[in-house]
Amino acid sequence: MFGNALILALREIRRNLMRAILTTLGIVIGVAAVVIIVTIGSGVSQSVSDSISSLGRNLIVLQPGVRRGPGGGGANVGATPFTLDDVEAIQREVPTLRAVAAVATRAATAVAGNANYPTQIAGTENAYMGVRDWPLGEGRAFTEAEERNGRAVCILGQTPKNKLFGAQDPLGLELRVGQIPCQVVGVLSAKGQSSFGQDQDDLILMPLRTVQRRLIGKPDVTNILVSTNQSEEITDAKRRIIDLMRERRLPNPDAEDDFRVDDMVEIANTIQSTTAVLTAFLAAIGAISLIVGGIGIMNVMLMSVTERTREIGIRMAIGARERDVMIQFLTESVMMSGLGGVIGIVLGLGITVALTRFMAVPFVLSPLVVVVAFVFSAGIGIAFGYFPARRAARMDPIEALRHE
């Protein structure tokens, strides 16, 4: 029975091929739109996750000051800088930490020969590379004596290396940071851009005491980077750090925090939640065209029922049951919507591959999205084909045979 219904449906679609193509166009567009939006949304979420991970494994960032402005936006204001005593207190009082690194930053122009390049100078310790999961690409780290005595040595990020030295090997060569002659002892491996559009490779590392004494002129610590051994330990570590900093920095227990403690997992989850909501919203808009396509299918099927009234009467006169007629028209409706779904999935995936390459985000294919898109398109065929099929099945055979 289903085999005959399938053959008759294919024959009817082939007989009115152009009409069938135009009818399924709404389904094709709707399914393609949903597949494109959901797949690109998954790719953007993956890109954000990878980018956040590249900042450092289980990373916690301490910054002085509080956020002012709508929604917590705006710059840090009222900031009292951290000190090395704060860093030592965290190392001493907070367990389960993998590494702690103090950072003092300053913008400066680096000069090598005839080339100069404005970049970010980060005074820090070797622990910085451990906290950030950032291995050296060439050369060596700072020695203990260089860190302790504040010697003028530096480790280049890939961007200043390329800007100042090009293809030349910079190890052992000198450059000038501001007015400070500095010997290059290492080069960091490439990190690339973060999810916030920042070039992570655009920096030069120098010993913390060198930057404090010779660039900044005071023993301030701009921020403190902390990493835990396990991601499950982040929440407890944050709580301990906040309690410790409040004890050290706020004489009044009821005073507002004058520092911020952020972890990358929380930031990543916030961004991914926002992306998921936007993706769902846009996918819902794309799904509207599926409804429009379903209305088109219902309209065409009603027209088909009218055109084939005499055929329906003949079939029922020679023994076809209401069920047989209903299955026949439902099969045609589901075939059109199902074929539209398949074409929409293929078209959507093809466009998504091109868009992900253009947008430089990973292509993340979810089999569930493909299956749901196809099932939903087939369901549209059943939902919007039922009324025309029911109308055909309930025709009076005598009246149908009289139809001209």
Side-chain angles (χ1 to χ4, degrees), residues 283-328:
I285 293 175
I288 293 175
S289 58
L290 285 173
I291 306 299
V292 175
I295 294 171
I297 287 177
M298 183 168 64
N299 183 45
V300 168
M301 292 306 298
L302 285 171
M303 186 188 305
S304 179
V305 169
T306 302
E307 291 174 349
R308 296 159 63 186
T309 300
R310 189 173 180 82
E311 174 192 328
I312 295 169
I314 293 172
R315 291 190 63 194
M316 297 182 77
I318 61 176
R321 296 167 296 177
E322 289 187 5
R323 177 186 175 189
D324 298 328
V325 176
M326 177 171 280
I327 289 175
Q328 175 62 53

Side-chain angles (χ1 to χ4, degrees), residues 38-106:
V38 173
T39 307
I40 288 182
S42 299
V44 170
S45 295
Q46 182 64 49
S47 178
V48 169
S49 179
D50 293 343
S51 184
I52 293 294
S53 298
S54 73
L55 295 175
R57 177 163 52 94
N58 306 330
L59 181 63
I60 301 172
V61 181
L62 284 75
Q63 296 176 300
V66 294
R67 290 285 187 184
R68 299 297 189 197
N76 287 330
V77 296
T80 301
F82 294 118
T83 65
L84 284 175
D85 289 340
D86 293 325
V87 178
E88 292 171 0
I90 292 173
Q91 291 173 322
R92 184 176 60 251
E93 301 292 339
V94 182
T96 70
L97 297 183
R98 182 166 61 96
V100 180
V103 183
T105 59
R106 180 72 176 269

Side-chain angles (χ1 to χ4, degrees), residues 2 23 29 32 45 70 96 104 152 165 192 227 235 256 274 300-301 369 396:
F2 289 105
T23 301
I29 293 172
S45 295
T96 70
F165 296 99
S227 66
T235 301
E256 182 184 6
T274 303
V300 168
M301 292 306 298
V369 172
D396 185 340

Side-chain angles (χ1 to χ4, degrees), residues 11-21 304 307:
R11 186 181 301 166
E12 184 62 28
I13 291 173
R14 187 171 56 186
R15 187 169 66 182
N16 297 285
L17 185 60
M18 183 56 66
R19 186 170 72 182
I21 292 174
S304 179
E307 291 174 349

Side-chain angles (χ1 to χ4, degrees), residues 245-318:
M245 289 298 102
R246 286 188 59 86
E247 180 183 334
R248 292 180 60 84
R249 295 168 63 90
L250 304 175
N252 182 1
D254 298 325
E256 182 184 6
D257 292 347
D258 65 345
F259 61 91
R260 300 181 66 242
V261 182
D262 300 310
D263 70 89
M264 296 302 105
V265 173
E266 182 180 8
I267 294 173
N269 290 339
T270 300
I271 296 174
Q272 288 177 342
S273 297
T274 303
T275 303
V277 171
L278 288 175
T279 299
F281 175 70
L282 294 174
I285 293 175
I288 293 175
S289 58
L290 285 173
I291 306 299
V292 175
I295 294 171
I297 287 177
M298 183 168 64
N299 183 45
V300 168
M301 292 306 298
L302 285 171
M303 186 188 305
S304 179
V305 169
T306 302
E307 291 174 349
R308 296 159 63 186
T309 300
R310 189 173 180 82
E311 174 192 328
I312 295 169
I314 293 172
R315 291 190 63 194
M316 297 182 77
I318 61 176

Side-chain angles (χ1 to χ4, degrees), residues 225-243:
L225 306 183
V226 177
S227 66
T228 61
N229 291 302
Q230 304 291 333
S231 60
E232 294 79 10
E233 298 168 346
I234 290 177
T235 301
D236 182 65
K238 279 184 63 176
R239 179 182 59 79
R240 291 173 179 269
I241 290 170
I242 290 171
D243 291 343

